[in-house]
Amino acid sequence: MKFETPAGKNPIDQLKVVGRATSRIDGRLKTTGNAPYAYEQHDVAAHQAYGFVVGAAIAKGRITAMDTTLARAAPGVVAVIGTLDHAQPLPKSRFNTAHLFGGPQVEHYHQAIALVVADSFEQARAAAALIRTDYAREPGQFDLAKAAPDAPLVPGSKGKPDVARVGDFDTAFTQAPVQLDRSYTTPDESHAMMEPHATIAAWDGDRLTVWTSNQMIAWGKASLATTLGMPPEKIRLNAPFIGGGFGGKLFIRADVVLAALGAKAAGRPVKLALTRPMMMNNTTHRPATIQRVRLGATRDGKLTAIAHSSASGDLPGGDPEAAVSQTQLLYAAPHRETFMKLAVLDLPEGNAMRAPGEAPGLMVLEMAMDEMAEKLGMDPVEFRILNDTQVDPAKPDRSFSQRHLIECLRTGAEKFGWSKRNPKPAQVREGRWLIGMGVAAGFRNNLLMKSAARIRLERGGRLTVETDMTDIGTGSYTILAQTAAEMMGVPLDAVTVKLGDSDFPASAGSGGQWGGNNSTAGLYAACVKLRAMVAQTLGLSENAHFADGKVIEGEKALPLAQAAREGPLTAEDLIEYGTLDKQYQQSTFASHFVEAAVDAYTGETRIRRMLAVCDAGRILNPKAARSQVIGAMTMGVGAALSEELAVDKRFGYFVNHDLAGYEVAVHADIPHQEVMFLDYPDDKSSPMKAKGVGELGLCGVGAAIANAIYNATGVRVRDYPITLDKHLEHLPVLA
Amino acid sequence: MKSGDAFGFSRRGVLVGGSAAGAVLVHAGPVQAAPAKGDVPVTMPVSLEVNGTRHDLQLDTRTTLLDALREHLHLIGTKKGCDHGQCGACTVIVNGERINSCLSLALQHQGDKVTTIEGLGTPDKLHPMQAAFIEHDGFQCGYCTPGQICSAVAVLGEIRRGVPSHVQEDIVAAPAVSNQELRERMSGNICRCGAYSNIMEAMQHVAGESA
């Protein structure tokens, strides 16, 4: 099905199942320990051996020798694979920046250099410690602040200029009666999903099956084929349950490559997981940024000039953290300028982490907006509302498909009690606590990706959905079941959903908050086909409607199951898109409100209240969508207050590479959280009229926290995370 | 830091100096003698009562309780998130107390009664805490969930028994089932999906029903 014109009325609009708060259909498996994750599938292949991965102990250089004699002789060892077994690195897919394995060159710390396969985990681990490696270390560049000034501009994509300009920023900024020019930093961050990267690999002749933890099945299959140099049709990739990804499992990693190589060498299936302390340096991370924002405004608060630039680093051939993207679309101003610089750093690979670009970009832009509002003597909610735009500022004839940011801000302000905020910072005390409120806008684009699904009407009337879509905690199982139930007129429990298998039709996968809308739209297309098949089988026209397990037309009401009396009916289709996302800017919007308390004696911050109001099209399952948003808000608390991969600039690695050193938010950090969804189905996005929401919740929340802390303390910290050492000495004098 | 000077030149410091001048040779590896191929790992017998069933196992002495459950008894509900006591995904209840099963060796548990997530309830017969987690959506990816639920069940027991916590105003008074109490006691269980607010609602729900 090609989606080329705005959606009209369709069966999803009935909202009998879709749009209702629905408990997850995989909940009983997950809460009882019966959902099998990658490492746990004991029954899929007999006689599984255990793999243990060894990482490089230097950040850059060459391996001159590797002695595996002792490891090979150790008890229980079945096979040892060393990186020097390969003269060159294994080919990498277009998704990978650093090589995953092979060859003498070390590109980053903890890059995989060896694998030990043994009968037990304990034996593999012990033997791995017996490998002796000699390195020729080479100097590297690990310091973003040092490298940024000389870093080249990032070339504009698709022939666009390197510096995106609208109007004449320099002149407008110079002439603006009120100006703000500030620099900010955000640190390297780690996905730190709870399930480590893990794989079981089994060969059957020249065919390979991997049970792995991956967000994008079709990408993973193609990438693995490239790296192993084999035809993709000989590979099956299976990931029914994924213990979190956040972008860290978008692309294949060393676990799946080494499990496959290990299983080949061992002549039996191999299972392995990256150890927690290897994850932060072996895999990818969100790159640190150094950003500068310049705002020019009239005295009554109209922005006339906006500039945003960002510098980040990555390995050679890598990508920038696109922290300036949202600044091209969020606020009106006739004169604009955005650009990025990308330095070469020899740290581990930087890559996508939840809301790449917008997450650190809005942490900065929305702090700058708060600073500008204060300079103007304006309320920060009103300042944002005054500078709203309903069109793409670079192409004023191109409007947003839907944009209700103003309503997000007004509704949130009302609900949160914003009118009680004292605009003058450091005025509100409750005992030892300094209290403040902050606001920020959230923004993240809605991306359209083609997505396929298959649906089968079984004998007896049950429905089975099959697609390689993944559920990384997002609730894909449930919204797909809701979609099928709505379209085919059956209750939710009449639908079985099977996911994450590369033998199923290729879906949009889970990333960039595109999974929910696109994967359900693909299933919608398959359901439209199945409805036609059912109607035809039953001798009805395409006008028949489906409800209560029946197919109804005029006087006739036939049981749906009757259509499968002679055997199952199977329909497969995909959704693909025309140019609606070119004609209209499709984005999602939020307002974030936070109340923070800062201990006047210790500088410690406590978040007391959080509210997000989201404008993200039709919400398919308000229960799971709310969870996505509160989860993102929680990640935002970590980003604002504690998360930072500490760079050892001498040796070139992230020092705090485990969950004790890298501090994500825990229960004690998170108060009760509130989320509201505005009800604006978007007919330009898909037949589902839904949009992404999973990343929106993270966009802007860090700045709302920073702004609340400033309102509490009067101390502006522009280097995230806002740890107590950065403001303690400047806190108000204690009475 | 001045105090660092007392150590003089560290091995790493020397290497830094060397690397600035160009490539240097370094190596990492064992210095101890390795066991010969013929050596068999040391194993010992241990009996565990897991979810009411006695299991007699012969285990490599290095096997953690976590791996005994996951790899030997195939009870996959208990998760390995970090394998060194930082995340809580491996939480099980041993003789009525919750522990991180990755931090103890299986052999330390001779005769112990172990309750895992599978022992609390099944898909057809959920424990009230499992049902409350589903109702309040107290999970997303599900990987920390068994540990969260085992901890949550144990925490309500600890509060009932009057075990004090760090956030109690008066540590000799009976602790309350307050949001602050629950959050403090649950903080050893990390949920990166960020379901904390919903987990609190699930726990309050169960605490309210059993009160």
Side-chain angles (χ1 to χ4, degrees), chain A residues 24 28 30 37 40 42 50 73 134-135 137 190-191 271 276 623 626-628 631 643 659 665 668, chain B residues 23-24 26-28 37 70-71 79 81 86 123 135 137 140-141 183 186-187 192-193 196 198 201:
Chain A
R24 289 166 202 261
R28 283 174 184 266
K30 284 183 172 175
Y37 295 78
E40 302 166 350
H42 293 282
Y50 290 80
D134 293 334
Y135 301 94
R137 194 200 300 273
S190 181
H191 309 82
K271 64 191 277 183
R276 177 61 60 178
K623 195 172 204 168
R626 181 182 171 279
S627 291
Q628 281 281 290
E643 289 182 37
L659 291 169
Chain B
V24 290
V26 295
H27 64 79
K37 179 83 177 174
R70 281 167 67 81
E71 306 305 325
K79 302 302 184 192
Q86 299 172 343
E135 186 182 339
D137 215 30
Q140 294 190 44
C141 81
R183 279 165 57 186
M186 289 296 290
S187 282
R192 185 58 159 162
C193 295
Y196 298 132
N198 289 352
E201 288 179 21

Side-chain angles (χ1 to χ4, degrees), chain B residues 175-198:
Chain B
V177 189
S178 67
N179 184 268
Q180 198 191 16
E181 255 326 316
L182 296 181
R183 279 165 57 186
E184 171 65 20
R185 290 167 192 262
M186 289 296 290
S187 282
N189 290 83
I190 294 175
C191 170
R192 185 58 159 162
C193 295
Y196 298 132
S197 182
N198 289 352

Side-chain angles (χ1 to χ4, degrees), chain A residues 341-618:
Chain A
K341 290 182 165 188
L342 178 59
V344 170
L345 293 181
D346 299 298
L347 290 170
E349 175 177 332
N351 217 317
M353 178 169 149
R354 197 175 197 173
E358 277 85 349
L362 283 160
M363 283 164 79
V364 165
L365 177 65
E366 286 298 286
M367 187 172 350
M369 287 295 285
D370 199 64
E371 296 199 59
M372 190 59 161
E374 189 182 32
K375 263 197 169 191
L376 289 159
M378 284 183 76
D379 178 90
V381 169
E382 296 304 324
F383 177 50
R384 287 175 173 84
I385 289 171
L386 182 66
N387 289 290
D388 185 58
T389 177
Q390 291 293 314
V391 297
D392 176 349
K395 296 178 194 140
D397 53 343
R398 183 169 175 259
S399 64
F400 285 89
S401 59
Q402 296 268 354
R403 174 165 168 140
H404 306 280
L405 177 60
I406 292 177
E407 189 175 335
C408 290
L409 287 159
R410 289 225 186 279
T411 305
E414 168 75 25
K415 170 97 178 162
F416 198 71
W418 183 253
S419 61
K420 295 189 185 73
R421 170 180 177 268
N422 188 328
K424 197 170 168 211
Q427 300 301 306
V428 182
R429 281 287 289 269
E430 286 180 22
R432 64 188 293 144
W433 297 100
L434 304 162
I435 313 295
M437 288 190 211
V439 65
F443 176 94
R444 175 83 178 145
N445 284 337
N446 179 57
L447 303 175
L448 302 182
M449 303 265 287
K450 78 177 176 190
S451 191
R454 183 190 298 148
I455 181 163
R456 195 163 52 245
L457 177 64
E458 312 281 6
R459 280 178 203 268
R462 283 193 64 81
L463 292 162
T464 304
V465 173
E466 292 173 337
T467 164
D468 84 353
M469 181 60 191
T470 48
D471 190 328
I472 59 174
T474 38
S476 309
Y477 276 106
T478 310
I479 53 171
L480 287 164
Q482 288 175 276
T483 302
E486 191 78 75
M487 289 298 290
M488 303 309 297
V490 300
L492 192 67
D493 60 10
V495 184
T496 301
V497 180
K498 295 182 179 175
L499 299 182
D501 188 331
S502 64
D503 284 353
F504 297 155
S507 72
S510 300
Q513 78 169 9
W514 65 59
N517 178 50
N518 293 293
S519 69
T520 52
L523 176 58
Y524 170 95
C527 288
V528 168
K529 227 178 207 180
L530 182 63
R531 284 164 63 110
M533 290 167 73
V534 167
Q536 195 186 15
T537 307
L538 296 177
L540 302 174
S541 85
E542 294 206 1
N543 297 325
H545 77 273
F546 291 66
D548 306 323
K550 296 190 178 64
V551 189
I552 304 150
E553 187 170 21
E555 301 291 291
K556 283 189 184 165
L558 303 171
L560 177 65
Q562 193 178 313
R565 214 163 44 182
E566 304 297 320
L569 293 181
T570 304
E572 182 176 328
D573 202 0
L574 81 166
I575 191 86
E576 51 192 334
Y577 297 92
T579 56
L580 282 172
D581 58 342
K582 308 279 183 300
Q583 294 172 50
Y584 299 91
Q585 175 59 40
Q586 299 195 13
S587 304
T588 63
F589 307 88
S591 65
H592 285 284
F593 290 83
V594 169
E595 182 178 300
V598 177
D599 190 310
Y601 294 87
T602 68
E604 221 179 329
T605 298
R606 289 273 177 267
I607 307 297
R608 305 218 300 189
R609 292 193 297 136
M610 300 182 85
L611 166 68
V613 182
C614 301
D615 170 28
R618 170 175 286 153

